Amino acid sequence: MVFKRLLGSLGVGGPTVDTTLAPGAARPGGTLSGRVRLVGGTVGHDVEHVALELVARVETGDGEHGDGEGVVVFGRHTVGGPFRLAAGEETSIPFTVTLPWETPATELYGRQLGVVLGVRTELAVAGARDSGDLDPFAVAPLPAQEAVLEALGRLGCGFRSAGLEYGRIGGTGQQLPFHQEIELTPPPRYARQADEIELTFLAVPGALEVVLEADKRGGPLSDGHGGHDALSRFTVPHEGPAGPRDWTALVDGWMRELVEHRASYGSHAVYGHDAGVGAPVMAGAAGIAGGMVAAEVVDEAGDFFEGDSGDGEG
């Protein structure tokens, strides 16, 4: 998809910018490639730099003081400049930028998760800066993330929603100012202990940190505030669990420890666990992905990008 915008702050006859991205989904910790095409205006300009910002639509607010959404910049890369752009001159700047390991997934097996990420191009000319429109990009989960989601699907979890929450999860190695939260229905065997399971992935180069929360509203173990009851953290190498266990057995153990720990220690409990290295057992694209609906998400993403003015960063 190509976005073209006359840079209004540079006046009538200023340069135009087209940004295109390579097709296909990127991966967390991987690269995002594309090309920025500049066309000079009616007069020449001294371009100070061309920069790309990675932005995300993030939910803000705590539910008690009002909820909202904002655009948060989570990466910035200078890809060109300084140089002289003559009147009417056309030039193209190829780029390859590295995505943070915590970049959230926007899709699973081609189905949209409801997460909106984009690239915004900034052109600085003679002291004036202007940002072009947002160019959305897709991010597929890491293989280990897919394996965890597949295991949860085999255990009977169902997909409810996914979004980005502003703020950090205490006690984790989180680096970005927001985190992805995937809401799931619990497996039938744990339906009495939890109404909802919330999943967050925090990846680093050598491992995947998995944060699970068990939410029980109004039950005998509730804290009385209807909030999240228990949080458990598990770390596994990207290669998967060690020994004879497969991903399903590993994740089932996580779920069991989560609900048992919640029952033993009450609300807002925190528990950590590290898994060893081993070979992953992958499955087909069934389970959780089957419950996702893409059409509404596509419309929502389009509305978000068309309505963004580039002025409301979170």
Side-chain angles (χ1 to χ4, degrees):
M1 186 178 295
V2 179
F3 291 91
K4 184 180 294 185
R5 185 172 188 264
L6 178 67
L7 300 181
S9 67
L10 303 181
V12 177
T16 59
V17 179
D18 296 349
T19 299
T20 59
L21 298 176
R27 297 269 190 175
T31 58
L32 185 70
S33 298
R35 188 173 296 272
V36 178
R37 177 173 172 267
L38 300 174
V39 179
T42 55
V43 297
H45 289 88
D46 291 318
V47 176
E48 297 176 356
H49 68 253
V50 179
L52 301 177
E53 291 181 332
L54 305 177
V55 300
R57 185 188 61 186
V58 176
E59 297 177 10
T60 60
D62 56 9
E64 297 180 1
H65 301 91
D67 294 324
E69 292 181 339
V71 178
V72 175
V73 177
F74 67 98
R76 182 179 172 85
H77 304 269
T78 299
V79 297
F83 58 88
R84 177 71 177 176
L85 183 65
E89 179 186 0
E90 297 187 15
T91 187
S92 182
I93 304 173
F95 64 84
T96 298
V97 300
T98 300
L99 297 177
W101 279 93
E102 290 181 14
T103 301
T106 66
E107 65 177 41
L108 179 63
Y109 305 119
R111 295 176 180 265
Q112 301 300 312
L113 290 175
V115 173
V116 183
L117 305 178
V119 173
R120 186 161 56 198
T121 307
E122 178 187 90
L123 180 66
V125 176
R129 297 185 182 185
D130 205 336
S131 297
D133 293 330
L134 292 168
D135 191 350
F137 65 93
V139 177
L142 294 166
Q145 295 171 335
E146 287 183 352
V148 171
L149 289 167
E150 288 170 347
L152 287 167
R154 287 191 293 268
L155 292 171
C157 286
F159 177 83
R160 280 183 174 169
S161 65
L164 303 183
E165 298 284 343
Y166 191 79
R168 290 182 167 85
I169 302 175
T172 68
Q174 182 183 342
Q175 299 296 314
L176 294 183
F178 59 85
H179 57 276
Q180 185 170 23
E181 194 173 84
I182 301 173
E183 298 179 353
L184 309 168
T185 59
R189 61 185 293 191
Y190 300 125
R192 295 185 62 182
Q193 293 95 331
D195 293 328
E196 185 175 78
I197 301 297
E198 296 181 353
L199 167 68
T200 295
F201 292 121
L202 300 173
V204 295
L208 178 66
E209 187 173 12
V210 181
V211 181
L212 292 172
E213 292 185 67
D215 192 350
K216 182 68 173 178
R217 289 182 168 86
L221 298 178
S222 174
D223 61 2
H225 300 288
H228 304 300
D229 296 323
L231 181 148
S232 294
R233 302 188 307 271
F234 306 92
T235 303
V236 62
H238 290 299
E239 295 82 6
R245 292 185 302 173
D246 61 14
W247 281 102
T248 303
L250 175 68
V251 175
D252 186 44
W254 292 350
M255 294 291 296
R256 184 173 58 254
E257 292 176 10
L258 174 67
V259 297
E260 290 177 354
H261 191 248
R262 175 184 176 277
S264 299
Y265 294 93
S267 63
H268 302 291
V270 178
Y271 179 78
H273 176 74
D274 291 336
V277 179
V281 176
M282 302 296 289
I288 290 177
M292 301 178 188
V293 180
E296 293 82 0
V297 176
V298 172
D299 292 340
E300 184 180 17
D303 293 342
F304 167 64
F305 283 119
E306 290 173 2
D308 182 82
S309 63
D311 300 325
E313 298 164 15

